[in-house]
Amino acid sequence: QPKAFIFDLDGVITDTAEYHYLAWKQIGEELGIEVDRELNERLKGVSRMESLERILAAAPRPLSLTAGEKEQWAAQKNAVYGHLIETIRPSDVLPGIEGLLKDIRNANMLLALGSASRNAKVVLERLGLTAAFDYIVDAGQIRFGKPHPETFVNAAEHFGIPCEACVGVEDSEAGIEAINGAGMFSVGIGSPESLRQAKYLVSDTSRLTLDGIMEAYRR
Ligand code: B16
Ligand code: MG
């Protein structure tokens, strides 16, 4: 029986993964780099600056930007993203998530949020879900972002629970790698092409149930 669940935010609790994508797509257009959905899979769960580096690496002709220029592009992406998340409301919680959080709570397991986003607390607040979590790990608390396991290990350590007794829920390749690297049970939301390392995979959040996860965890 697991003792804690650690949820990713963007793309798991709400569809902000789509907003990150739209914001990077716009920045890419200004830089003359196409950000398609395939490239986007490698941006999910990855920090803002690392995402920009991966986009720059996909440029048709190498662009050499100074550190200051990179900071400006990253800030511009965040401004676009900030605009897109302004209208987020409680009804934007993805299907099945609220029920799952309640079921986990009723089963007396702990709940943490493990997000790479500096906007995580604002988004959670707008969704009306801040009180649903016992602990929040965001980019401010960790030194190494996903795929490094620190985000997830940080939550387990905070709870004083061994990693083997934790379940991590993620929509990104980097996040699944981080959960597996932490020695936790990984639940993936998405396609088998990008999340083949997930220990248990569903195509979308509406298919997530505590029973389904528990059955897979015990196998
Ligand atoms: P920010 P998650 C991640 O959040 C996103 O998946 C990723 O696309 C984004 O670049 C990263 O947060 C940093 O976000 O620019 O808001 O600090 O999926 O770990 O909840
Ligand atoms: Mg995510």
Side-chain angles (χ1 to χ4, degrees), residues 8-12 17 44-45 146 170-172:
D8 173 44
L9 174 65
D10 298 320
V12 171
K44 285 184 182 173
K146 304 165 189 178
E170 263 285 355
D171 70 321
S172 68

Side-chain angles (χ1 to χ4, degrees), residues 12-192:
V12 171
I13 303 283
T14 189
D15 204 13
T16 36
E18 189 65 16
Y19 293 158
H20 282 293
Y21 168 62
L22 293 173
W24 281 127
K25 200 172 176 54
Q26 184 173 324
I27 297 302
E29 273 160 22
E30 291 176 38
L31 284 164
I33 304 167
E34 197 199 339
V35 179
D36 59 15
R37 290 200 179 264
E38 197 189 319
L39 171 56
N40 186 56
E41 284 306 317
R42 286 181 282 124
L43 308 181
K44 285 184 182 173
V46 170
S47 76
R48 200 179 303 164
M49 195 47 83
E50 178 60 23
S51 298
L52 177 62
E53 294 290 359
R54 290 183 184 195
I55 290 167
L56 292 173
R61 269 169 284 102
L63 288 172
S64 57
L65 301 184
T66 64
E69 286 166 335
K70 288 180 187 173
E71 288 295 343
Q72 278 176 17
W73 285 110
Q76 199 173 321
K77 183 269 177 177
N78 197 49
V80 175
Y81 180 71
H83 211 69
L84 292 169
I85 62 172
E86 260 167 24
T87 54
I88 287 185
R89 310 172 275 142
S91 60
D92 292 319
V93 176
L94 284 168
I97 292 295
E98 292 207 77
L100 176 61
L101 295 178
K102 283 199 185 99
D103 290 345
I104 292 168
R105 172 75 64 211
N106 290 337
N108 288 318
M109 293 182 276
L110 291 161
L111 271 166
L113 188 85
S115 176
S117 175
R118 297 191 180 274
N119 295 290
K121 285 183 176 147
V122 174
V123 171
L124 211 56
E125 194 63 32
R126 293 202 179 134
L127 292 170
L129 281 181
T130 304
F133 292 91
D134 300 295
Y135 181 60
I136 295 170
V137 190
D138 69 8
Q141 266 131 295
I142 51 146
R143 280 182 55 207
F144 306 107
K146 304 165 189 178
H148 191 284
E150 186 180 357
T151 301
F152 293 92
V153 173
N154 179 296
E157 283 178 352
H158 172 83
F159 288 146
I161 289 175
C163 286
E164 306 78 69
C166 295
V167 176
V169 187
E170 263 285 355
D171 70 321
S172 68
E173 279 174 37
I176 293 293
E177 194 179 328
I179 296 167
N180 290 342
M184 299 178 181
F185 185 78
S186 56
V187 176
I189 297 158
S191 70

